[in-house]
Amino acid sequence: MGTIFSAWVCCFMLTIFLFLCGVACAFRAIVLYRRLRALIEGLYPQPLRITSADQVYAVQVLGSFESISFTTQDGLTLRAWYKPSQNGAAVIFIHGKSNNRHTLIEEAAAVVRLGMGVLLYDSRASGESDGRLHSWGGLEQLDLAAALDYLESRRDVDANRIGVHGFSVGANTALLLAVKDQRVKALVLSGACPSLAEYLHHISSKPKILMAWLLLRQYKKAGVPVAKVNLSENIARFAPRPLLMIRGTGSVTVPIALAQNLFDAADEPKTQLVIEGADHMDFVQVGGSKYLSAVADFFNRYL
């Protein structure tokens, strides 16, 4: 009788153990699924609209400017602000993921103060522009090409004096198009990561290998050319045109080692500005006038 009771207790305890293990596994699976869905939402971001406050501040720091739009080769209409050039030079500013043209307004204002024109546009699937898919610098190259076409049509712009500043994912767009398009005469990359594949691995939660694989699969399925969004393999091709790279020492979004590897892969002439204590979205707040002057002086020197 005692043996039967002991066996029953063992079976009961094993059942409880297996039930708890099942609950734990199910909970973990739900957590991983939600994290994966959150990361996949990066493909279809909720557009950050331009507010009336954004518009008012832009006028304060840029002075009068034109609200314009232009069309990409694949038929999307992009909304933008354009401040005419006073000296023939002009700079295009490209924001990062889930942002809009207002993100780089301080950098643009620093350039305007030196007489250069600036074009700030909302990338596809961002701000007030058309589009739904955010392809991390793949299709966005068509956006930059259209922006360059627009500047070439302007009488106030010398087509041989156009620069580009790309931030974060905007840096992907900027470099990948610039190595193929000689109209970009000077380039600033801030908060750039060597490749999309490395970034997706970096942001993947544990188990990293599984989550990174699932992310890559979803991005490729959506039509994002993951393998081609690789700055490290392309950055040397921008030479001999001048390059300025900017990163912070406190970056979590793009690890310091990855950012340094990308700079090391570039050829001369190249310059790196390291902002002590800056992470990813706070270059202006932490770098202040030194950072803004570095950006403006770079374009003033080479354009």
Side-chain angles (χ1 to χ4, degrees), residues 32-91:
L32 292 178
Y33 174 77
R34 287 179 175 175
R35 289 178 179 173
L36 181 62
R37 292 306 305 171
L39 293 173
I40 292 174
E41 285 176 3
L43 294 169
Y44 308 99
Q46 184 67 33
L48 181 63
R49 304 298 185 185
I50 297 293
T51 67
S52 57
D54 292 338
Q55 188 83 21
V56 169
Y57 187 71
V59 172
Q60 290 178 355
V61 298
L62 297 180
S64 60
F65 58 82
E66 302 171 23
S67 292
I68 64 164
S69 64
F70 49 88
T71 305
T72 65
Q73 185 180 352
D74 57 344
L76 297 183
T77 298
L78 307 183
R79 275 78 184 182
W81 291 331
Y82 179 67
K83 173 73 175 182
S85 177
Q86 301 300 311
N87 61 12
V91 179

Side-chain angles (χ1 to χ4, degrees), residues 70-302:
F70 49 88
T71 305
T72 65
Q73 185 180 352
D74 57 344
L76 297 183
T77 298
L78 307 183
R79 275 78 184 182
W81 291 331
Y82 179 67
K83 173 73 175 182
S85 177
Q86 301 300 311
N87 61 12
V91 179
I92 299 171
F93 290 87
I94 313 173
H95 61 78
K97 181 179 75 70
S98 301
N99 291 142
N100 58 35
R101 75 194 94 146
H102 192 266
T103 304
L104 297 173
I105 195 70
E106 300 292 352
E107 291 87 339
V111 167
V112 165
R113 285 193 285 271
L114 296 181
M116 290 174 273
V118 296
L119 175 59
L120 302 108
Y121 68 86
D122 292 337
S123 298
R124 61 183 59 209
S126 302
E128 309 292 337
S129 291
D130 294 349
R132 182 167 177 264
L133 175 67
H134 175 78
S135 66
W136 293 75
L139 293 173
E140 285 79 8
Q141 293 173 62
L142 299 177
D143 302 351
L144 177 52
L148 288 164
D149 291 342
Y150 175 80
L151 285 186
E152 277 195 317
S153 73
R154 298 282 313 198
R155 292 186 177 182
D156 58 298
V157 176
D158 180 345
N160 292 311
R161 300 176 65 194
I162 298 176
V164 175
H165 180 146
F167 167 69
S168 190
V169 177
N172 297 352
T173 303
L175 178 67
L176 295 176
L177 191 281
V179 297
K180 299 178 291 188
D181 197 322
Q182 293 295 318
R183 292 180 293 179
V184 181
K185 303 303 181 183
L187 180 63
V188 172
L189 302 178
S190 60
C193 189
S195 73
L196 177 54
E198 287 178 277
Y199 177 73
L200 292 179
H201 183 270
H202 168 63
I203 64 174
S204 296
S205 57
K206 295 180 180 179
K208 267 190 173 293
I209 295 178
L210 174 62
M211 291 293 284
W213 179 80
L214 290 172
L215 270 179
L216 285 170
R217 185 170 179 272
Q218 290 296 322
Y219 273 58
K220 290 177 181 178
K221 184 178 179 180
V224 177
V226 177
K228 293 182 179 180
V229 183
N230 191 319
L231 278 63
S232 293
E233 290 184 353
N234 289 278
I235 196 166
R237 294 169 50 205
F238 184 71
R241 290 168 288 171
L243 170 71
L244 170 63
M245 282 190 60
I246 302 167
R247 67 172 176 84
T249 61
S251 181
V252 174
T253 305
V254 180
I256 296 172
L258 291 184
Q260 186 61 46
N261 289 343
L262 180 59
F263 180 74
D264 292 341
D267 280 346
E268 299 290 348
K270 62 180 181 179
T271 307
Q272 182 172 217
L273 173 63
V274 179
I275 304 176
E276 293 293 331
D279 182 8
H280 191 64
M281 293 291 294
D282 57 359
F283 288 170
V284 172
Q285 292 83 350
V286 179
S289 59
K290 179 180 178 180
Y291 159 64
L292 294 175
S293 294
V295 171
D297 292 346
F298 172 81
F299 285 124
N300 193 45
R301 176 182 179 185
Y302 291 107

